[in-house]
Amino acid sequence: QVQLVESGGGLVQPGGSLRLSCAVSGYTLDYYAIGWFRQAPGKEREGVICLSNTDGITYDAGYGKGRFTISRDKTKNTVYLQMNGLNPEDTAVYYCAIAFNCGYFYNRKYDYWGQGTQVTVSS
């Protein structure tokens, strides 16, 4: 059974930082691609960043460049999302997901995803 569990969300002031974690079980991070997408109420799902475990290349959305970073710990089977310079527009539920590759990921074709963790940016 493949399971992804996100954690680390919460309430953050504008300009603040947050680190999200995604614990993966029943799956190895050595294969395929894994990334983070987000969804705000009434809006479409949008990809944030994706890591291709096949070639080790990171692909991120334009709005996340310079602010969001993805990393992995193969020993702990955990993926992280470091978010800096957060804006109220970043408020959303953040999900980690596994896809065949990052092209599939950004086309919203996920194989597995978690329950998400709420990120709220407000003063």
Side-chain angles (χ1 to χ4, degrees), residues 6-54:
E6 301 93 335
S7 62
L11 177 63
V12 186
Q13 296 186 33
S17 300
L18 203 61
R19 189 193 191 195
L20 307 183
S21 299
C22 174
V24 182
S25 61
Y27 181 86
T28 176
L29 298 180
D30 292 335
Y31 299 100
Y32 306 116
I34 190 166
W36 294 83
F37 70 88
R38 66 187 186 184
Q39 186 170 29
K43 294 187 177 181
E44 290 275 298
R45 295 165 295 166
E46 61 177 356
V48 177
I49 194 167
C50 180
L51 172 63
S52 174
N53 286 322
T54 303

Side-chain angles (χ1 to χ4, degrees), residues 1-5 21-31 34 36 53 71-80 96 98:
Q1 294 180 322
V2 177
Q3 185 176 7
L4 292 79
V5 180
S21 299
C22 174
V24 182
S25 61
Y27 181 86
T28 176
L29 298 180
D30 292 335
Y31 299 100
I34 190 166
W36 294 83
N53 286 322
S71 61
R72 65 190 182 196
D73 186 335
K74 293 184 178 181
T75 301
K76 298 181 180 296
N77 233 34
T78 302
V79 177
Y80 305 94
C96 63
I98 293 171

Side-chain angles (χ1 to χ4, degrees), residues 46-109:
E46 61 177 356
V48 177
I49 194 167
C50 180
L51 172 63
S52 174
N53 286 322
T54 303
D55 54 22
I57 299 176
T58 298
Y59 304 89
D60 55 26
Y63 61 81
K65 290 185 177 180
R67 299 195 301 129
F68 300 157
T69 304
I70 188 171
S71 61
R72 65 190 182 196
D73 186 335
K74 293 184 178 181
T75 301
K76 298 181 180 296
N77 233 34
T78 302
V79 177
Y80 305 94
L81 176 65
Q82 179 67 45
M83 304 185 293
N84 301 319
L86 289 167
N87 307 312
E89 292 75 17
D90 294 317
T91 296
V93 178
Y94 284 72
Y95 303 83
C96 63
I98 293 171
F100 181 70
N101 58 37
C102 287
Y104 276 64
F105 174 83
Y106 279 108
N107 201 34
R108 304 189 184 95
K109 296 182 178 179

